[in-house]
Amino acid sequence: NFRYIPIITSEMGRLSASKENVELVINKDICPFTKTHYHLIGNGQMVTEWKTGLEKAGVPNERITTENYFNHKAEPSVESIDRISEVFAAA
């Protein structure tokens, strides 16, 4: 199954900015989050936050691939990592 959801961050803020935003990427009726493949692309800080949060929630590392294009040295937000992992772990 494939699902595409466009998310316009200039309107709703960063995807990791709120629990409601993080929940947009989960649909347990289609596929359990641990069996979904996540391809994270873009801002290095965002990619690191999501990769770490997904791993912390139990997503196997082989189901996460990344492409960082800029902002490689920015420190990830621990708050964002925790929010991502908590939402996914509760799914």
Side-chain angles (χ1 to χ4, degrees):
N1 292 329
F2 178 79
R3 181 174 70 133
Y4 172 75
I5 300 173
I7 297 170
I8 302 170
T9 57
S10 63
E11 294 175 8
M12 61 191 300
R14 292 184 64 195
L15 192 54
S16 62
S18 71
K19 178 181 174 186
E20 294 76 23
N21 285 5
V22 175
E23 288 173 340
L24 290 172
V25 301
I26 299 174
N27 189 332
K28 58 187 170 200
D29 296 327
I30 293 176
C31 186
F33 79 89
T34 56
K35 296 189 182 210
T36 298
H37 183 91
Y38 300 90
H39 189 65
L40 309 170
I41 304 169
N43 176 335
Q45 180 182 16
M46 180 275 304
V47 169
T48 300
E49 291 169 355
W50 275 87
K51 183 175 188 323
T52 305
L54 290 169
E55 289 172 338
K56 188 174 175 182
V59 174
N61 191 47
E62 61 269 9
R63 294 202 167 270
I64 304 170
T65 52
T66 64
E67 292 181 44
N68 297 333
Y69 292 120
F70 58 95
N71 207 19
H72 302 285
K73 295 181 180 180
E75 289 293 321
S77 162
V78 173
E79 183 179 279
S80 293
I81 291 168
D82 289 344
R83 183 178 302 114
I84 293 163
S85 72
E86 288 168 10
V87 169
F88 274 80

